[in-house]
Amino acid sequence: MSALTKIVKLTLKNPRLAANKAKITFRNSVTAKKDYRREDGWAHPPGTISIKLTNACNLRCKMCGQPREGNPEGHAKWAPIEFFHEKVTVEKYKQVIDEIKGWRPNLYLWGGEPFMYKEILELVSYAKKQKLTVQINTNGLYLKKMAKDIVDSGLDDLIISIDGPQEVHDEVRGLAGTFKLVEKGIQAIHEEKKKKGVKSPIIRVRGTISPYNFEYIYSLVEISKRLGADSLNFNWTWFTTKQTGQAHQNLMKRLFDIDAVSWLPYETDVILDPEKRKKFEGIKQELIKFEKNGSDIPITMSPYIKPEQVDTYYENITETFGSDTCYSVWVKSYILPNGDVTPCPDFPDYICGNINEESFMDIWNGERYRRWRLELKKRKLFPICYRCCDLFLSNVKFM
């Protein structure tokens, strides 16, 4: 089946979501570049607003660089206990939706584990009433318990993280039995959709390519088909090197007088670790399988890395495979669990404002956001940008 046919089939399952995605693609590839050329750092309203609902999570995934409860102070993934209890009220989020609904951006909800934010489906239902499209990215452990309410909410897109076969997934997630729970949760969603005669939410499996599942990623094709997923997409793990991280930290101190240390948990040893280095050949073989893939499920990879480029991806961090300019901060924005608004989600050292104190649009084109855009524009990229998934917004391939 051709990639175009797969895209058409997926589009028909949720035309409104597909239309909004097309609008976002146009925004990313056309109007963002017009905004980029402006000399004042101003930007049109974002096509996507990403809300990190909570820092709390019920898993300890090996490849994740976010802080986790229980780590000792001084650990790269340590944070004070208050960090995991930060929360914006659902009423405040509704106010933001009322402010932004006129241009109907896509709402992307994540965490931590977003379903640990108890009012998540109240928020989804409200956003849907305002005609927004809504996505949730989850580890899937709450799906069985909340299946009926999820389908009733009108959610458009349910993105579920899976790392490979059961034993691989459970090992990466740090908890035995997680694969089975996810499997039962997806089945419960299917059953509720069938009862109500609806096609939403679309179920999307997301595989994060990391040293922990290098040799198993192609197995997700059959797993996704067996689970009845509507599509499968792959992202590569975010990472940086010590040299690059320190260069970024020094630059942020000089430009903005901030201590940008959020890169520390993302420093990887994959280049130096001989055992992990051996797995490069394994992932090359997996990527070759994708090139020969004849499955009828839509599969995307971002960034698209060819088998012969794997070594370069990990060994030459400054190689960005044609994505040498970041437009993300002109088209997307991120709200953190305490209400802070940042242009960079997993490296949130620079804060542009807080929705508890200012309106979202005052922040979006406020002095601090515009200054960030202009400083980034001068350099095309900051050092921390080289392996950020937002850099590769347009480097997506359907397979």
Side-chain angles (χ1 to χ4, degrees), residues 9 33 41 52 59 63 75 116 120 131 182 195 201 229-230 276 280 311 339 344:
K9 286 181 67 177
K33 294 177 182 179
K52 187 179 185 185
L59 291 177
M63 74 297 192
H75 190 283
M116 294 181 74
I120 183 172
K131 303 188 183 306
V182 171
K195 284 180 188 176
D230 297 296
K276 291 176 182 174
F280 282 8
D311 298 67
C344 194

Side-chain angles (χ1 to χ4, degrees), residues 254-267:
R254 178 166 62 83
L255 292 180
F256 305 113
D257 195 27
I258 58 174
D259 295 317
V261 296
S262 62
W263 63 272
L264 289 168
Y266 294 89
E267 182 191 349

Side-chain angles (χ1 to χ4, degrees), residues 240-288:
T240 190
T241 63
K242 185 174 183 179
Q243 181 180 5
T244 303
Q246 289 179 335
H248 179 75
Q249 187 173 339
N250 293 339
L251 180 62
M252 294 297 102
K253 186 67 175 177
R254 178 166 62 83
L255 292 180
F256 305 113
D257 195 27
I258 58 174
D259 295 317
V261 296
S262 62
W263 63 272
L264 289 168
Y266 294 89
E267 182 191 349
T268 181
D269 62 352
V270 69
I271 300 168
L272 303 177
D273 187 324
E275 291 304 312
K276 291 176 182 174
R277 181 68 177 74
K278 289 177 185 176
K279 295 184 179 181
F280 282 8
E281 189 59 36
I283 195 172
K284 291 177 188 177
Q285 296 305 314
E286 294 289 281
L287 294 177
I288 290 170

Side-chain angles (χ1 to χ4, degrees), residues 1 39 57 61 117 144 151 153 168 196 198 244 253 258 261 267 269 306 310 313 339 382:
M1 184 181 294
E39 297 181 356
C57 190
C61 304
Y117 182 87
K144 183 179 179 182
V151 175
S153 72
V168 175
K196 294 177 173 59
V198 297
T244 303
K253 186 67 175 177
I258 58 174
V261 296
E267 182 191 349
D269 62 352
K306 299 177 182 177
V310 170
Y313 182 82
F382 292 137

Side-chain angles (χ1 to χ4, degrees), residues 96-105 126-127 130-132:
V96 173
I97 289 172
D98 289 341
E99 181 187 1
I100 66 176
K101 64 184 180 183
W103 69 88
R104 295 185 185 176
Y126 188 81
Q130 310 309 316
K131 303 188 183 306
L132 274 62

Side-chain angles (χ1 to χ4, degrees), residues 320-381:
T320 56
F321 307 95
S323 299
D324 59 356
T325 302
C326 177
Y327 297 106
S328 176
V329 299
W330 279 264
V331 298
K332 296 178 72 175
S333 190
Y334 294 87
I335 302 175
L336 301 178
N338 65 350
D340 283 346
V341 178
T342 179
C344 194
D346 272 335
F347 305 111
D349 303 290
Y350 186 83
I351 303 302
C352 298
N354 189 292
I355 60 170
N356 292 306
E357 300 168 1
E358 305 173 70
S359 73
F360 174 80
M361 283 308 297
D362 283 346
I363 298 170
W364 173 249
N365 276 317
E367 186 275 333
R368 287 184 63 80
Y369 229 127
R370 288 186 288 107
R371 185 181 174 201
W372 177 271
R373 294 186 187 112
L374 292 174
E375 293 292 352
L376 177 61
K377 181 180 174 180
K378 289 177 186 177
R379 297 159 179 83
K380 290 192 174 181
L381 299 174

